[in-house]
Amino acid sequence: MTAVAGAVPAHRMRGPMTARWFARTAAVVLVVWVVAGAGPALAGLSLPWRAFGAGLIVPGAGLVVAVPPLHHPFDTAMVVGHAVIVAAEAAVLGWALRRFRVGVAVAGVVVPVALIIGVLVAPGAVVVTGHIAGFAGVLAASGWAFAFRCIARSDYVTLPVIVLAAATAGAGLAAYHGAMPGPFTWFSWAALGVAVTGAGAAMTRDLIRHRAAVALGAERARYLAERRVAARTNPVPLQRSTTTPPVTEASTDQLALLRHLLRIALRPPGDWSGFDGEGPGPLQQYRYQVNALGWALSMYAYSHTPALRGPVHAAQSMLLDRLRDPAVWRYWYWENLLGNWDFRRRRTDPIDVRQNIMFTGYLNLQLGMFEQATGDTRFRVPGALEFPSPSGFSAAYDHDAINAIVVRNFDSDLCLWPCEPLPIGRSRTRGLVFPYCNAVSVAGVAVADALRGSAAAAEIAPRLRQALETEFTAADGDLVTFLASGLGLTARGFRGPTTTAGIVAFLAPLLPETAWRAWEVLRREWLESGQYLLPGTGGSESPTAADWGSQAATNAEPLAAAMLLAQETDARDWHSSLWRAATDQLRFGDRENPAGARGFMEASVHANGMLGLGSLGRPRALTDMMSRPRPAAWDHGPRIAELPHPDVLVARAVGDGIGLDAVFRAGVAPGRYAVVLDRLRPARPYYAHGATESVIHADAHGAARITIDLHDRTVIELRPA
C-alpha cells in the first residue's frame, strides 16, 4: 500500500527498493561472517587464521583470540610492549576525558604504578590486559572511523584499514605466541555469535519501534481526518501566476538581523574570521554557512527591496564568489577519492557528479534565488562560475548548466540522489541520500523554472513524492533523515516533526498536501503542546535538527524550519510566536552594538542564516520565487544604486518600471544623507516626494542623487515630472 499524505502511512518497515537492497546486504554480510568465523575451523586452519577471521567479524576480536596461555613464557620485551600499549590507550582515554581533571589526574598516577607492579609481579596479567586493551582500542577506533570518517567524510578507506590491520595484528600475535590455544581461543566462534546477536537485537529494536510508529501513524491519521476541511490536490505542474509579487516593508527586527548577516557576508575574499570554523561533523562545513546566508539575503531582497543595489546585492555576489573558493569545495576531491575509491582518475570536479547534491543542488538554489531577488543575470553567462584548484584543475559552469546537471541527476531509480558517495557499483551513483538536500535542490529547479518558463520541477515532483512516501516515510508519517542507497540501511531512528518540517518547507509549493500534513503534525505536537518553548526539544530529534554549526541540541534549526514552513503555509500568528521564541531562547542581540545589528548569539552562523531565511521574508515568498517569473517592471525604471550603509537602511524599495517607492530607516543616527539612483530616463526630471529636493534631474547616464533627512522612517516616492 502506498502512503497518502494525511492517511495512515504504509505499514511496511522499508520501501520496496530499500527492502531489496537491505536483503542483499544482509545476505552478503551473513555469508562473509559465516565464512570468516566458521571457515578456518572447519578447514582445519591454524589459530592465526581463526584470529584473522574473528577480527573481520568483530573489529579487534583477533587480539582476544590471540591471548596466549597463561603458562606461556613471557620475555621482558613482550611484557613491556604490552604495557606500553595499555599506557598509550590510557593516555588517549585521559585526553578524551580531560574535562574531568581530578579523575584523569588520579588515573595518571595509578595506571603507571599499576603497570610497573604488573611488569615485575604479574607479567601474564599485563600481557592479557594489553590484548584486551587493544581490542577495546580497535573497537573505539572503528566507532570513530564509522561516525567521523565514513558518515562525516565519506571515507571508506580508514575503517577497512583499521579492521584489516587489527585482524592481521591478531593473526601475527597468535603466530608470535606459537599458535598455542589460549584462554580465549573460543572467541573465534563467539565473534560470529556476537555479530549475529547484535544484528538481531538491532533488527528487533527496529521492529519494536516500527510497531510503535504504526500506532502513532494511525492516531495522527485520525487527527488529520478531523482537521481536513477541503480536498487538497497536488498541483503539478505548479500553479503559475503572472501577477506581480507583493513587496512589503521590513520591520526593525528584520533590518537588525539583516545587518548582522551582512557583517558576516561582506568579509573580504579569503577571510573566514566571521564564519564558524569547520568541524569534524558532516554539517560543520563552510558550504552550508555560505548557502544559508545567501538564501536569507535573497529572501530579504525579493520580499522587500527588489529595486535596491548596494550592500545586500554586493554581499550576495560575494557569497557566490566565496563558494568558488577551494576551501569550500575542495572536500569533494577527498570524498571522491576515499568514498568512491577513485584512486586512478582522482576526479576533482565538484559539480558534474551524481553524489554531491549538497554542493551542486544547494548552489543551484542560491543562484536561482539571487537572480529572482536582484534580476542580475551575470551567472547565466557561459563559464561565469569557475572553480580553480591549487593543483591546476579548473572547471567552469554557469547557472543554466548547473541546473541542467541537477535536473539530470533526479533521473534515477530512486529519484533522489546522494549527498555522500558509497563505493558501490561500477557507475558510482550510490551513497547517503538525504531528503533535506533533495528538497533544497528541487526547490532550486523550481526557481529556475519560474525564471525560464520551463517545467522540470513539475516533472520531478510526482516521482519525488512517490519516493518520499514509499522509501523515506516511516509508519508514523515522519521522514527519515537519510538512507544508504544500494545498501538499504536507513537512519530511521533520526526523525520527528521538526526534522520533517525542515524538509517539507522547501517543497510546500510542489507538494502542498505533504506540507499541510507536516504543518498540522508540527503544530499539534510541538507548537500547541508548548514544547517549542522548551530549549532543546526539537534539536535532539536528529543530526539535521541540531545546530549545524555547533551540533548543539538547541531549537535554532527547528525554529528556523518551523518559521519557513509557517511562512509558506501563511500561518502568520504562529510565525510571530516562533520568532518570539527564537529571540528569547537564542539571545537576539549584539554584545558590541546593542542598538544596531542583532543576531542570534546562541546560534551558529548557519543557524543564523536559516533563521534569516525563515524570518526575513513575507508570507509565501519562497512559493512565489518558485512559481512566479520575475516581473519585467522590476528590471526597468528607477532603483537605488548606492547609499551609505549602515547609516541608511532600506526597508522597502520597489519600482513599476516608471517610478520608485522606497522606505528608509536610520541605521546608526539621524541625519541628512545622500542616496544615488540609477536607471532613470536620461536627462529627464523626476518628482522626489519626501526628499529634500522636490525635483531632481537625471544625468546623461540615467543617474541622479537625492538627499533625505532621516530621523527614524522616511518615505520616498519618485515619479516622472
Side-chain angles (χ1 to χ4, degrees):
M1 179 180 71
T2 299
V4 178
V8 180
H11 286 183
R12 56 173 169 259
M13 187 183 299
R14 297 177 179 85
M17 193 175 298
T18 307
R20 186 168 64 251
W21 289 333
F22 181 79
R24 182 178 62 192
T25 300
V28 171
V29 170
L30 184 59
V31 168
V32 171
W33 282 353
V34 170
V35 170
L42 295 176
L45 299 179
S46 61
L47 184 64
W49 283 104
R50 299 182 189 184
F52 182 79
L56 295 181
I57 301 172
V58 177
L63 299 174
V64 177
V65 176
V67 172
L70 299 181
H71 58 77
H72 189 277
F74 302 110
D75 58 58
T76 303
M78 179 192 302
V79 176
V80 171
H82 285 76
V84 169
I85 292 174
V86 175
E89 294 207 15
V92 172
L93 182 61
W95 179 84
L97 301 176
R98 58 190 179 279
R99 59 178 177 173
F100 303 104
R101 296 181 180 179
V102 176
V104 171
V106 172
V109 175
V110 172
V111 171
V113 171
L115 286 174
I116 292 172
I117 294 174
V119 169
L120 298 175
V121 177
V126 173
V127 172
V128 172
T129 302
H131 279 258
I132 301 301
F135 172 52
V138 171
L139 277 180
S142 298
W144 167 84
F146 177 76
F148 293 102
R149 297 306 304 173
C150 294
I151 302 299
R153 293 291 185 270
S154 292
D155 173 3
Y156 294 98
V157 172
T158 300
L159 179 58
V161 166
I162 290 173
V163 173
L164 287 172
T168 302
L173 286 171
Y176 178 75
H177 294 313
M180 298 174 61
F184 300 108
T185 302
W186 54 269
F187 202 68
S188 61
W189 285 94
L192 177 59
V194 168
V196 172
T197 301
M203 295 176 67
T204 301
R205 181 197 60 187
D206 281 351
L207 181 59
I208 293 172
R209 289 179 174 177
H210 174 68
R211 289 177 177 174
V214 169
L216 177 58
E219 193 276 330
R220 283 177 172 176
R222 288 191 293 270
Y223 169 75
L224 292 170
E226 295 172 358
R227 292 287 301 174
R228 189 178 298 279
V229 294
R232 283 177 168 79
T233 58
N234 184 33
V236 177
L238 284 171
Q239 292 180 339
R240 293 292 177 83
S241 173
T242 57
T243 60
T244 300
V247 176
T248 60
E249 181 179 342
S251 68
T252 54
D253 279 344
Q254 288 176 317
L255 287 167
L257 179 56
L258 174 70
R259 287 182 59 185
H260 174 72
L261 300 183
L262 286 175
R263 286 194 307 188
I264 302 171
L266 288 171
R267 299 274 178 176
D271 179 4
W272 294 94
S273 59
F275 293 78
D276 293 328
E278 293 198 333
L283 303 176
Q284 297 169 281
Q285 309 300 318
Y286 286 144
R287 57 186 176 274
Y288 298 123
Q289 300 177 51
V290 174
N291 279 302
L293 291 173
W295 298 341
L297 296 181
S298 291
M299 178 63 74
Y300 181 89
Y302 181 81
S303 301
H304 309 298
T305 58
L308 170 67
R309 279 296 191 261
V312 178
H313 177 263
Q316 292 172 279
S317 302
M318 291 176 69
L319 287 171
L320 283 164
D321 285 338
R322 192 177 285 271
L323 283 170
R324 301 188 302 111
D325 189 329
V328 177
W329 62 266
R330 180 67 176 173
Y331 72 92
W332 174 249
Y333 171 81
W334 294 106
E335 289 206 357
N336 176 61
L337 182 70
L338 303 178
N340 275 327
W341 296 350
D342 187 14
F343 304 116
R344 183 174 61 87
R345 296 178 60 186
R346 298 188 179 186
R347 291 166 294 182
T348 305
D349 186 350
I351 299 294
D352 194 8
V353 291
R354 291 182 177 271
Q355 300 160 299
N356 195 21
I357 193 173
M358 58 191 170
F359 189 80
T360 311
Y362 282 50
L363 172 59
N364 192 51
L365 176 59
Q366 185 166 175
L367 288 168
M369 292 181 72
F370 171 75
E371 186 175 338
Q372 269 282 33
T374 66
D376 190 337
T377 60
R378 71 176 71 181
F379 295 109
R380 294 181 66 179
V381 177
L385 285 162
E386 185 177 2
F387 296 88
S389 170
S391 64
F393 164 84
S394 180
Y397 294 93
D398 56 79
H399 184 198
D400 290 336
I402 291 172
N403 186 66
I405 291 169
V406 173
V407 172
R408 179 204 68 193
N409 287 352
F410 276 107
D411 187 18
S412 66
D413 53 358
L414 188 60
C415 183
L416 290 79
W417 46 295
C419 293
E420 315 276 355
L422 281 171
I424 299 174
R426 293 183 179 179
S427 60
R428 291 297 194 264
T429 60
R430 302 303 186 190
L432 303 185
V433 182
F434 288 75
Y436 183 94
C437 297
N438 281 268
V440 166
S441 299
V442 79
V445 173
V447 174
D449 286 342
L451 290 167
R452 312 287 187 266
S454 50
E459 188 278 328
I460 294 170
R463 294 187 290 111
L464 178 68
R465 181 185 185 185
Q466 175 72 11
L468 288 175
E469 291 177 350
T470 58
E471 305 293 342
F472 292 89
T473 301
D476 55 11
D478 289 329
L479 292 171
V480 300
T481 301
F482 69 90
L483 66 77
S485 63
L487 294 180
L489 304 177
T490 306
R492 61 183 61 257
F494 298 139
R495 68 177 193 272
T498 64
T499 302
T500 300
I503 298 167
V504 173
F506 289 95
L507 299 174
L510 284 165
L511 305 178
E513 176 73 17
T514 305
W516 172 80
R517 184 188 192 284
W519 171 251
E520 289 295 330
V521 172
L522 180 75
R523 184 174 58 81
R524 181 197 188 200
E525 298 182 10
W526 199 55
L527 301 181
E528 291 181 346
S529 66
Q531 290 294 305
Y532 77 104
L533 298 173
L534 304 177
T537 53
S540 58
E541 267 188 10
S542 69
T544 56
D547 189 320
W548 286 29
S550 66
Q551 287 300 287
T554 68
N555 282 341
E557 305 283 356
L559 287 169
M563 277 196 287
L564 183 59
L565 186 56
Q567 172 183 292
E568 297 310 309
T569 54
D570 203 13
R572 303 188 187 195
D573 290 343
W574 274 115
H575 189 277
S576 299
S577 298
L578 288 162
W579 170 260
R580 289 193 296 271
T583 58
D584 291 342
Q585 294 181 32
L586 305 172
R587 289 205 306 122
F588 187 60
D590 192 313
R591 301 184 188 92
E592 300 175 359
N593 185 15
R598 283 178 287 167
F600 295 96
M601 298 296 100
E602 297 296 327
S604 68
V605 170
H606 177 270
N608 268 273
M610 296 307 295
L611 287 160
L613 176 64
S615 66
L616 290 181
R618 44 92 179 158
R620 300 191 187 278
L622 183 59
T623 296
D624 286 343
M625 295 180 91
M626 294 168 63
S627 58
R628 299 191 190 206
R630 179 177 168 85
W634 286 4
D635 295 324
H636 301 86
R639 70 180 177 188
I640 301 168
E642 299 177 23
L643 73 164
H645 177 83
D647 299 288
V648 178
L649 307 177
V650 183
R652 185 172 185 265
V654 62
D656 60 359
I658 300 174
L660 172 70
D661 291 338
V663 177
F664 296 93
R665 289 274 192 177
V668 177
R672 174 168 289 188
Y673 300 99
V675 175
V676 177
L677 309 177
D678 68 357
R679 292 199 321 198
L680 284 72
R681 296 179 182 178
R684 291 287 300 273
Y686 283 80
Y687 294 117
H689 304 291
T692 58
E693 309 93 340
S694 58
V695 178
I696 61 171
H697 290 80
D699 63 18
H701 301 288
R705 184 185 300 268
I706 62 171
T707 306
I708 57 175
D709 284 326
L710 191 57
H711 298 285
D712 178 27
R713 177 178 180 272
T714 298
V715 179
I716 299 294
E717 294 180 355
L718 192 72
R719 301 290 185 268

